[in-house]
Amino acid sequence: MAARRQQRLVSLVLCLLSTRQYITADRIRDTVEGYEVSEDSTNPDEAFKRSFERDKAELRELGIPLETGRNSVFDTEDGYRIARHQFELPPIEFTADEAAAVGLAGRLWSTASLATEARTALIKLRAAGIEIEEPPGADALPPLPGNEPALPGLVAAVSERRVVQFAHRKQSAPAPQKRVLEPWGVLSWRGRWYVVGYDRGRGDVRSFRLDRIVGEVRTLATAAETSRPEDLDMLELVRGANHQPDQLASVRVAPGRGGQLRRQARQVRSTAEGDVLTLDYRDLDRLAGLVAGAGAEAVALEPPELVTAVIGLLSGVTGGRPGAESAEPAAVAGGTALTGGGR
């Protein structure tokens, strides 16, 4: 029944849009599919009237400008029509820079959840006659990953000015901490997503990396009490919060192994246990991922926070199961061996 009624409403809208004259209810009854009355009905005229009144009310609730009037003084009953100039959307106009930004945004989304919407938007704009030009050098831009589980919920919260709560794990912290945030914006910097907003627990502006959000982002019933300051540069805030000078790390790799780590090493020192690499790094999590990804071929030596991060990654892979030691390389901090096996 619901499907039939929706089809009838669509047919009614098309009928009322197809003419500039007012159409009487009797003509609508004969023209629009779906107003047929069952032969068993004791009062078909009353059944049609009830259906038509419900449909008119629903169209008006949807914001469709349904007009009532008569075509001439000789008409004896009212008719209906939809004013096309009030119903149709105005033409969409973009400046050259805005059109280029739309085209660039369509290139940046690389995941299925967001790429479909981006492609659909571009198709609709081009169908409306809008030229979407991409800026020079767009081919050199990398795709922007949108596969963070927290991304859709946070984007919606920013749009709706909703307060969110989530657990966030600091770099190398032993456990995540609960945060309550009034989000002002979501942005990407150096291939990672960040959310910026007012942290209620800290009473200040904060930014959080989305890949460090653990578990679900919950939307709270309380309303946002702050708004983004006009002079706030969110990108500059994220840059400043994540600026790290080059730091040094030591990683031991098996002879002839660990090619990706070797390519980034500034110094290689051979020992009886293997080659010790000295590496510059800014992103501890990225380096920990490279070491953990090398398996038993690489051992984190220092700094201690790198050792902790590698052990955390490997423990997550093995699930902390006893007997899974062969999946973890040795990790040495301060001369103390934390060994989970290896070759």
Side-chain angles (χ1 to χ4, degrees):
M1 291 296 293
R4 281 189 60 190
R5 184 158 186 243
Q6 291 173 4
Q7 184 177 1
R8 188 179 70 226
L9 286 173
V10 172
S11 299
L12 177 59
V13 170
L14 293 176
C15 174
L16 296 177
L17 280 172
S18 65
T19 179
R20 294 182 180 179
Q21 293 186 331
Y22 293 101
I23 304 177
T24 64
D26 287 339
R27 188 177 174 188
I28 290 173
R29 179 179 180 178
D30 295 335
T31 304
V32 176
E33 183 180 359
Y35 283 119
E36 300 87 356
V37 179
S38 172
E39 297 179 355
D40 299 333
S41 177
T42 57
N43 193 337
D45 293 337
E46 185 64 27
F48 163 73
K49 184 178 179 180
R50 287 197 302 268
S51 297
F52 187 50
E53 290 298 325
R54 286 197 301 266
D55 290 349
K56 287 192 300 180
E58 183 161 348
L59 291 182
R60 289 185 171 120
E61 288 178 3
L62 292 172
I64 296 176
L66 182 63
E67 295 182 341
T68 303
R70 301 185 182 187
N71 297 313
S72 73
V73 295
F74 300 103
D75 291 340
T76 57
E77 60 179 303
D78 288 337
Y80 306 90
R81 72 180 182 186
I82 294 175
R84 184 178 289 271
H85 68 281
Q86 296 180 14
F87 178 76
E88 294 177 339
L89 292 174
I92 302 174
E93 297 181 357
F94 284 123
T95 65
D97 289 344
E98 289 171 339
V102 172
L104 181 58
R107 290 179 56 88
L108 290 176
W109 301 111
S110 63
T111 58
S113 62
L114 296 174
T116 301
E117 284 80 357
R119 285 195 300 268
T120 302
L122 293 178
I123 291 171
K124 289 181 178 179
L125 291 173
R126 289 190 173 111
I130 299 172
E131 293 294 331
I132 304 296
E133 296 183 0
E134 297 172 354
D139 290 336
L141 290 171
L144 185 60
N147 56 352
E148 295 295 342
L151 181 59
L154 288 173
V155 170
V158 170
S159 176
E160 298 169 4
R161 289 183 48 81
R162 304 291 298 274
V163 183
V164 294
Q165 177 181 300
F166 52 82
H168 185 266
R169 176 183 55 82
K170 283 187 176 181
Q171 182 171 294
S172 304
Q177 297 179 336
K178 185 177 74 173
R179 301 282 188 159
V180 177
L181 185 74
E182 299 181 14
W184 295 338
V186 179
L187 68 154
S188 177
W189 182 64
R190 289 188 173 178
R192 298 187 187 277
W193 283 102
Y194 296 82
V195 59
V196 177
Y198 181 77
D199 187 333
R200 287 186 170 182
R202 305 303 188 271
D204 201 359
V205 182
R206 291 288 190 272
S207 65
F208 301 95
R209 259 175 52 178
L210 266 60
D211 61 341
R212 291 181 180 161
I213 292 179
V214 181
E216 180 185 5
V217 175
R218 292 180 51 211
T219 302
L220 304 184
T222 57
E225 299 174 354
T226 64
S227 58
R228 173 184 168 187
E230 293 184 2
D231 58 347
L232 176 66
D233 187 333
M234 294 195 299
L235 182 57
E236 200 59 42
L237 177 71
V238 169
R239 284 172 177 163
N242 292 275
H243 176 71
Q244 295 287 343
D246 286 340
Q247 301 179 69
L248 294 179
S250 294
V251 177
R252 186 172 67 240
V253 296
R257 302 299 182 91
Q260 191 170 1
L261 290 166
R262 288 179 182 274
R263 286 191 292 272
Q264 299 183 27
R266 63 183 296 182
Q267 182 180 346
V268 180
R269 178 169 53 89
S270 297
T271 67
E273 293 83 9
D275 296 334
V276 177
L277 312 181
T278 301
L279 303 104
D280 296 308
Y281 74 94
R282 290 188 179 183
D283 190 331
L284 180 70
D285 289 343
R286 181 179 180 278
L287 180 57
L290 290 176
V291 176
E297 297 173 357
V299 178
L301 301 178
E302 56 182 353
E305 53 265 28
L306 174 62
V307 177
T308 302
V310 172
I311 292 175
L313 288 174
L314 294 172
S315 297
V317 171
T318 62
R321 300 186 309 271
E325 292 83 6
S326 59
E328 291 190 29
V332 182
T336 302
L338 307 175
T339 307
R343 290 181 282 201

